[in-house]
Amino acid sequence: MALSQRKLILGAEFHQSGDHEGGWRMPSAQPWRGTDLSYYQSLSRLAERGKMDFVFFADFLAYTPRIRQSIRWELEPLTLLAGVAAVTERIGLVATGSTLYTEPYNLARSFATLDHLSGGRAAWNIVTTGETATAGDFGHAQVVPHDQRYAHAHEYTALIRELWDSWDDAALAPDRDHGRYADPARVRPLDYDSGRHRVAGALNLPRPPQGHPVLVQAGSSEDGRNFAAAHAEMVFTAQPSLDYGQAFYQDMQRRVALAGRRPGSLKVVPGLLTVIGSTDEEAQRLRNQLDDLLVPSVYANLLGSFGIDLSRFDLDDPVPENLGSVAGFEGIKSRLAIIEHLVRHWGDKPTIRQLIRRLAGSRGHFAVTGTPGKIAASMQTWFEQGAADGFIIKYSHLPGGIREFVDEVVPLLQRAGIYRNDYEGTTLREHLGLARPDRVQARERQVA
């Protein structure tokens, strides 16, 4: 697609009070509304007013003691998005689902249901889940090794797609005059048994309106990139700088081609943390306010989840030379690699406190603190210089952050001609320029 025809993809990621660890302590925050459906409905309607492609909800499956000083829990996203679907009309609905801790039949049925109820707006954010606490909660003695999680995810994802394809589009054709409701000959039981998964029958509801809900993948390790090239239609990635983003974008296009897929079939959408002010100085004051609300010990403990143990150091000590080993780490490898990249390219060696403040909002994602014009210009640069097809916006604090973005940044992107003025389709696939997949009779099953 020519550059003049491309339109920026925009998603809105909602955590309860925003993405910055100190956001819940802002005077305008509403941290008590974390279980209030109307709160998420109102945020989603704001995003839809901004003609955004989708809202995105991450998921964390395990309890963590860090709730003492930080919001560290999430509502189950599929249930939540069913409530959002009821009060929105066009915006896509992206929910995270684990390949490791959910049975394929249940997950396929749940996402197909959301796609039907929303008229074709659902997407599955595929994660392999590498947290130690989650493993224990689901009966695993230890974290499943990284490579094994992705080998499992290849089979799991192919199986999900077979379940969505188990009904032909024309299987459901009610004919009251002749007393025929559906054609069983157009429904294919899977009879699937790999030893790891067993699924006897077909899905118990018709094929989703989109054929398949859009497949999103979050993760940028070597295994994650190969998985995205094989399966994903959109990849959510953390890229801290333009050159880093360009290298990732080029690498993914190369891998997609090697996988035999057409150009443009995989959309690259980095995360972007926004801190908006009427002037750069005002925005920086807001970022400083957020950082000052951070309890440093919380994020120092969080670094431990990336295999980084800084507990024996003072917060004002320089970051040590060797943070950890990506090769031997079984958690989120790509995020550890980004943290190491940030430290290497910092300039003067940062202190542990400085690193914590840098990660407190963006967690390694691209971040812009400044005026709406500065933020829009940065987004346009990434879009036009081969680093992104769009962004998943991560707001420093909510609900204010989304209002400012929709009212002040979106109009600038529209005037630049890189963002839609209105929705042209009704499904998420139409928003993203993705083809509706044909139903296949049999699919190669990848079993490891």
Side-chain angles (χ1 to χ4, degrees), residues 424-439:
E424 296 177 358
T426 59
T427 71
L428 180 55
R429 287 187 173 278
E430 290 172 329
H431 300 344
L432 301 176
L434 296 170
R436 186 180 189 273
D438 294 330
R439 183 199 186 210

Side-chain angles (χ1 to χ4, degrees), residues 204-225:
N204 70 337
L205 74 166
R207 194 166 189 248
Q210 296 185 102
H212 304 161
V214 174
L215 297 178
V216 185
Q217 187 261 353
S220 305
S221 66
E222 184 69 15
D223 289 330
R225 295 181 193 213

Side-chain angles (χ1 to χ4, degrees), residues 178-195:
H178 297 90
R180 289 193 299 268
Y181 179 71
D183 184 357
R186 293 180 179 269
V187 180
R188 183 184 67 247
L190 267 64
D191 191 24
Y192 182 93
D193 187 349
S194 69

Side-chain angles (χ1 to χ4, degrees), residues 226-392:
N226 287 334
F227 179 88
H231 299 283
E233 296 166 295
M234 184 165 64
V235 57
F236 176 27
T237 177
Q239 303 298 327
S241 62
L242 176 63
D243 59 342
Y244 213 76
Q246 288 170 323
F248 179 82
Y249 192 97
Q250 293 165 10
D251 182 60
M252 289 311 306
Q253 302 312 314
R254 177 185 64 82
R255 291 175 195 249
V256 166
L258 289 173
R261 297 173 59 187
R262 64 175 180 82
S265 59
L266 175 65
K267 310 297 183 181
V268 177
V269 286
L272 167 61
L273 178 80
T274 57
V275 184
I276 304 172
S278 58
T279 65
D280 286 343
E281 293 74 19
E282 180 183 297
Q284 189 58 56
R285 285 196 296 272
L286 176 57
R287 178 61 196 255
N288 292 341
Q289 180 184 4
L290 286 158
D291 288 346
D292 290 342
L293 292 172
L294 173 69
V295 181
S297 61
V298 173
Y299 216 83
N301 291 336
L302 181 60
L303 291 173
S305 66
F306 298 113
I308 301 172
D309 181 9
L310 301 178
S311 59
R312 64 187 185 279
F313 299 98
D314 185 83
L315 287 173
D316 293 313
D317 286 342
V319 174
E321 293 289 339
N322 185 16
L323 287 177
S325 170
V326 174
F329 183 52
E330 296 298 349
I332 306 174
K333 288 179 179 283
S334 58
R335 201 58 54 88
L336 175 57
I338 285 174
I339 293 171
E340 292 179 333
H341 168 84
L342 287 172
V343 173
R344 285 197 307 270
H345 294 82
W346 199 285
D348 295 336
K349 183 176 288 295
T351 66
I352 293 170
R353 188 186 303 276
Q354 288 173 321
L355 176 62
I356 289 170
R357 287 169 76 98
R358 171 67 174 81
L359 296 172
S362 66
R363 297 172 179 83
H365 289 274
F366 177 43
V368 183
T369 296
T371 63
K374 180 179 179 179
I375 291 167
S378 296
M379 296 171 70
Q380 185 169 359
T381 297
W382 278 56
F383 179 63
E384 294 181 346
Q385 295 189 13
D389 293 305
F391 297 92
I392 293 182

